[in-house]
């Protein structure tokens, strides 16, 4: 019988607070799966260069790999990045 834990084998295990990395010009240090810790809007750029602005709820996880989070257009107050 296969363990249920194996279905999480590819989920990122490391995390860091990336709120301070928001910038209108610079990319993040690496690509992240993002979880917002407050409701609001977030403007981000995906790994393939698509810019997206979304309204999110507290705790929502953004599945696309994010390479940039804009300071302008982002009103959430806490962001965690998983890698």
């Amino acid at each position: 019988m296969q363990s249920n834990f194996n279905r999480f084998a590819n989920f990122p295990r490391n995390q860091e607070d990336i709120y301070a990395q928001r910038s209108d010009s610079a990319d993040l240090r690496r690509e992240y799966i993002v979880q917002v810790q407050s409701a609001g809007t977030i403007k981000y750029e995906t790994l393939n260069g698509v810019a997206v602005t979304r309204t999110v709820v507290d705790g929502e996880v953004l599945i696309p790999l994010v390479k940039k989070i804009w300071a302008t257009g982002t009103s959430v107050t806490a962001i965690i990045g998983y890698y």
Side-chain angles (χ1 to χ4, degrees):
M1 177 180 235
Q2 190 174 35
S3 168
N4 282 336
F5 182 76
N6 288 335
R7 64 187 168 148
F8 298 108
N10 293 324
F11 191 81
R13 301 209 191 293
N14 300 307
Q15 70 181 36
E16 65 181 283
D17 182 350
I18 59 171
Y19 181 77
Q21 294 185 42
R22 295 170 301 127
S23 172
D24 292 343
S25 58
D27 287 350
L28 299 167
R29 287 190 289 260
R30 61 173 53 95
E31 294 83 25
Y32 296 94
I33 292 174
V34 173
Q35 181 179 28
V36 296
Q37 301 295 303
S38 65
T41 58
I42 184 170
K43 183 176 180 182
Y44 63 93
E45 185 174 326
T46 63
L47 190 58
N48 62 355
V50 176
V52 178
T53 302
R54 289 185 54 183
T55 301
V56 292
V57 297
D58 182 18
E60 187 168 341
V61 175
L62 306 177
I63 297 301
L65 286 175
V66 173
K67 71 174 187 177
K68 178 195 261 182
I69 299 175
W70 272 268
T72 304
T74 297
S75 67
V76 297
T77 57
I79 306 169
I80 302 295
Y82 296 92
Y83 63 97

